[in-house]
Amino acid sequence: MVDGRAGGAGRQARGSVTDRLVEFVGLLRDHGINAGPSETIDAAEAMVALGVADRDRLRSGMAACLLRRNGQRAVFDQLFDLYFLTAQQPQPAEPSTPESIEALRDRLVSTLAQDDSDSVAELARQALTELGGYGSVGTGQTSGPVTTASGAGWSSYLTMKALRPEELLDRIVAGMNGSSQLDTAVHTIEANRRLAAFRTAVQTEARLRSAQLRGTEYIARRGVESSSDQVDFLGAREQDLAEMRRLVHPLARKLATRLAVRRRKAVRGQIDLRRTLRRSMSTGGVPIDPVLRARKHGRPDLVVLADISGSVTGFAEFTLHLVQALQDQFSKVRSFGFVDTCDEITHFFNPGELPTPGTVARIIRSTKVARFGSSNYGEAFQGFIDHYADALGPRTSVLILGDGRTNRTDPNLAAVQTIVDRAKHTYWLNPEPSRSWSTGDSAAHVYAECVTMHECRNVEQLTEVIARLLPA
């Protein structure tokens, strides 16, 4: 005989897991990961097949079911930890004999040199407990739920600031017993990877403890970093820009595939009446199978005019790399950079080469894109017309990249109109939100009157716009 209470408990447990999965998928959607009903069912089946004992295996299985694009895994991992690891974490407690910071740093060097993952996780928890608490949690006075207004919590930033692990790199490499110069170089790369893993462990632990204090949903909505394809170009940090560079070539391949499909669908044009009538003779004069004329496709030339001043460097650099990766879709690609003057920069972006940091800095040092250093769109456009007007023609598409902030100088609409008139298509991609186009020293709203302007604040928006503008 089956115990009804045991059966009821089992159904309740299964129901709670189901509800948690549905809530988890809902938060994924809020963070830009578009998992639908079919992906959710696949994830549920993966949970049944893989079980919940091995969380790393479960994480990989659910990620395979729910993720579709590059750049989403980091967000998925953060939310997965919140929804499936919170209950396993011990309640933070104030140690009776705190270990000194130097002792923690010594232990960190030894642990990372040995690459002991269990010890790294334990050290991350201890370091956060001793160095990352603020408010009442840092004094051992919390005994119940903490409200969002109490000013208490856990901070990975405070922990890492106190430990300063980036200063320990040489000691970690020395502890890895490298002999030759090659060994040292390899071990340096590996040591950086282990330091990044420790930093991630501290951030995860801080996020889990904050969820225990403030609630999982609160932290999931406010304490999870956006995926790299949704980070604003203008607010991106160096690690965000590094992740964006890794997205360039996979994104270019995806866009090229999408364009190939679109071209195949558009390969035939208007009905060829003569051939259609001839074919209809076999069906009694009824044109059941019309014959279409083949359309001739010519690949256009592309000219890119990019503002590479400090305010929009990340946006311009990513877009220039993306365009060069897509150069097979055009007969010719020429890139021009400007700050207050204009110069050609095509040779800085070689197709097939991985994007490297500091490209814009090298351009500014070795070309004539800047004279005084402050953005001057009017002078830059005039310089392009005076020296590079031959780049424009009836088969040319022009992309202008920039925020349109002219430092209150003359926008020189006449030069922009000349570019529009001489090119087949002209588009402006602006990394600022459209609500800012008429604020401060921005002349974007004025430029938008003579050239089509698109908001491209992040990789996701840029992808959608580029996909629409690519030649069919």
Side-chain angles (χ1 to χ4, degrees):
M1 181 176 179
V2 178
D3 189 343
R5 289 175 299 176
R11 287 191 298 272
Q12 184 177 4
R14 288 193 295 271
S16 63
V17 171
T18 301
D19 294 341
R20 202 160 186 81
L21 174 61
V22 172
E23 187 178 358
F24 171 64
V25 172
L27 264 297
L28 289 179
R29 293 195 193 104
D30 291 343
H31 285 80
I33 300 176
N34 296 320
S38 62
E39 289 83 5
T40 305
I41 293 173
D42 291 342
E45 292 178 346
M47 294 180 70
V48 173
L50 299 175
V52 296
D54 188 337
R55 296 305 172 105
D56 289 335
R57 183 173 65 178
L58 177 62
R59 181 202 309 270
S60 298
M62 293 182 66
C65 295
L66 295 170
L67 301 185
R68 297 181 179 180
R69 298 200 307 266
N70 292 316
Q72 296 179 335
R73 183 59 189 264
V75 174
F76 175 88
D77 286 345
Q78 294 174 67
L79 292 173
F80 179 91
D81 291 343
L82 285 173
Y83 273 81
F84 296 99
L85 297 185
T86 303
Q88 292 187 340
Q89 301 304 316
Q91 291 288 339
E94 179 70 16
S96 56
T97 56
E99 196 170 350
S100 69
I101 293 178
E102 288 304 319
L104 284 173
R105 284 162 58 87
D106 292 340
R107 282 185 56 198
L108 179 60
V109 170
S110 175
T111 301
L112 294 184
Q114 298 173 8
D115 197 21
D116 186 344
S117 58
D118 293 335
S119 297
V120 167
E122 178 58 35
L123 183 59
R125 285 191 286 269
Q126 180 180 347
L128 183 70
T129 300
E130 297 186 9
L131 304 173
Y134 61 89
S136 56
V137 301
T139 60
Q141 297 175 1
T142 53
S143 58
V146 179
T147 65
T148 58
S150 64
W154 299 95
S155 170
S156 60
Y157 171 77
L158 293 177
T159 305
M160 302 306 289
K161 182 180 179 181
L163 283 178
R164 305 188 308 280
E166 63 279 355
E167 299 177 3
L168 305 176
L169 181 63
D170 292 339
R171 293 175 58 188
I172 296 171
V173 172
M176 295 168 70
N177 299 321
S179 55
S180 66
Q181 186 174 0
L182 178 60
D183 289 338
T184 301
V186 172
H187 286 165
T188 299
I189 296 174
E190 177 63 16
N192 277 311
R193 185 195 66 79
R194 296 177 187 180
L195 280 171
F198 175 75
R199 183 183 299 274
T200 300
V202 174
Q203 292 172 342
T204 299
E205 182 69 17
R207 197 175 295 114
L208 294 176
R209 294 190 186 184
S210 297
Q212 291 174 340
L213 293 175
R214 290 177 165 82
T216 299
E217 184 175 353
Y218 179 87
I219 298 301
R221 295 186 183 280
R222 295 171 174 82
V224 172
E225 297 180 357
S226 300
S227 59
S228 55
D229 61 348
Q230 291 190 324
V231 174
D232 281 6
F233 288 112
L234 300 185
R237 301 164 299 177
E238 182 53 42
Q239 57 264 38
D240 298 323
L241 294 175
E243 180 62 29
M244 290 176 187
R245 294 186 191 101
R246 287 191 286 270
L247 292 178
V248 166
H249 289 292
L251 180 57
R253 288 194 299 268
K254 179 180 178 180
L255 290 174
T257 301
R258 185 183 303 179
L259 177 61
V261 172
R262 198 167 72 193
R263 280 177 171 166
R264 282 197 299 270
K265 290 181 179 179
V267 71
R268 293 186 292 179
Q270 298 178 343
I271 292 177
D272 187 326
L273 184 59
R274 184 177 62 84
R275 295 174 63 193
T276 299
L277 291 176
R278 179 180 296 178
R279 179 176 292 184
S280 69
M281 298 297 289
S282 62
T283 57
V286 180
I288 295 176
D289 187 13
V291 180
L292 303 179
R293 293 191 180 96
R295 295 174 56 188
K296 295 182 179 180
H297 294 277
R299 296 184 178 183
D301 298 338
L302 180 66
V303 169
V304 183
L305 286 170
D307 177 2
I308 57 175
S309 61
S311 58
V312 291
T313 296
F315 166 67
E317 184 175 344
F318 178 86
T319 308
L320 285 165
H321 280 299
L322 178 61
V323 167
Q324 285 297 330
L326 286 168
Q327 78 161 5
D328 289 343
Q329 309 303 322
F330 306 92
S331 61
K332 182 188 297 184
V333 177
R334 295 182 67 181
S335 300
F336 301 87
F338 67 87
V339 177
D340 53 5
T341 59
C342 185
D343 199 2
E344 184 163 6
I345 58 173
T346 306
H347 59 283
F348 285 92
F349 299 90
N350 297 319
E353 292 186 2
L354 294 177
T356 56
T359 301
V360 169
R362 291 194 297 273
I363 291 173
I364 293 177
R365 286 196 304 267
S366 56
T367 64
K368 300 177 181 179
V369 298
R371 182 172 50 192
F372 301 112
S374 298
S375 295
N376 189 325
Y377 278 70
E379 288 292 331
F381 289 143
Q382 190 61 52
F384 175 78
I385 293 297
D386 292 341
H387 300 100
Y388 303 106
D390 61 312
L392 303 176
R395 298 181 64 252
T396 304
S397 294
V398 178
L399 284 183
I400 302 175
L401 315 177
D403 55 9
R405 295 198 172 271
T406 63
N407 288 311
R408 305 190 187 282
T409 58
D410 179 13
N412 197 353
L413 294 180
V416 177
Q417 191 61 53
T418 300
I419 295 173
V420 173
D421 293 340
R422 293 189 181 184
K424 182 177 181 180
H425 302 293
T426 304
Y427 308 101
W428 189 309
L429 310 186
N430 193 324
E432 285 196 341
S434 56
R435 63 178 179 275
S436 301
W437 291 356
S438 59
T439 62
D441 61 348
S442 176
H445 64 296
V446 178
Y447 287 127
E449 295 177 359
C450 58
V451 59
T452 303
M453 187 170 291
H454 300 272
E455 178 184 296
C456 294
R457 292 186 293 112
N458 51 49
V459 174
E460 184 179 26
Q461 286 186 334
L462 178 64
T463 303
E464 294 174 357
V465 171
I466 293 293
R468 291 200 306 269
L469 301 185
L470 279 174

